Amino acid sequence: MAAVRTESPYLIVFLTLNGFTAQSTRVADAALADTLDDYFALVTNAIEGAGGIVVKFIGDGVLAVFPQASAGSGVSALLVLKPAIDQFMHERDWDCRLIVRVHFGDVIAGPIGPGNH
């Protein structure tokens, strides 16, 4: 029996910090962890506050989605988040800039792969 999947339009967002890897080699591990904690909190609050969902963190990257009904507020939140994160990194003397990539389109969601049939 085939897995149940749904198809819906979403705003798909990927965020990453340009320069993060190089910067991470120049700071203490505790400072790196603290900065990531604060960065992820700022990103999560902005995304969830605009009706989005953080799917996962991947290193310094963030994968998030906004359902169609929240796509407009998601774009607005990202336009505010970009300079806020850049300022956040500048205040910590980190040479990093937030890169924001978005795509809007249909997403197939549901179980995929072995054991999901």
Side-chain angles (χ1 to χ4, degrees):
M1 182 156 108
V4 175
R5 298 183 185 124
T6 60
E7 183 173 354
S8 301
Y10 279 87
L11 180 72
I12 303 161
V13 178
F14 185 72
L15 308 172
T16 189
L17 290 169
N18 185 33
F20 175 81
T21 301
Q23 181 65 41
S24 69
T25 65
R26 296 190 283 266
V27 298
D29 291 345
L32 176 64
D34 289 344
T35 298
L36 279 176
D37 279 345
D38 293 343
Y39 160 67
F40 288 144
L42 289 168
V43 168
T44 299
N45 288 339
I47 289 170
E48 291 179 352
I53 301 161
V54 174
V55 176
K56 66 172 51 179
F57 301 115
I58 310 162
D60 63 289
V62 180
L63 175 63
V65 295
F66 289 87
Q68 182 176 17
S70 299
S73 59
V75 169
S76 295
L78 294 169
L79 289 170
V80 172
L81 183 63
K82 161 71 172 130
I85 294 297
D86 288 348
Q87 181 64 32
F88 168 82
M89 290 298 170
H90 177 75
E91 289 170 359
R92 282 153 185 77
D93 201 27
W94 280 50
D95 187 20
C96 295
R97 296 291 177 264
L98 185 66
I99 304 298
V100 179
R101 301 282 190 244
V102 299
H103 173 77
F104 185 80
D106 288 338
V107 172
I108 303 289
I112 297 175
N116 290 308
H117 296 278

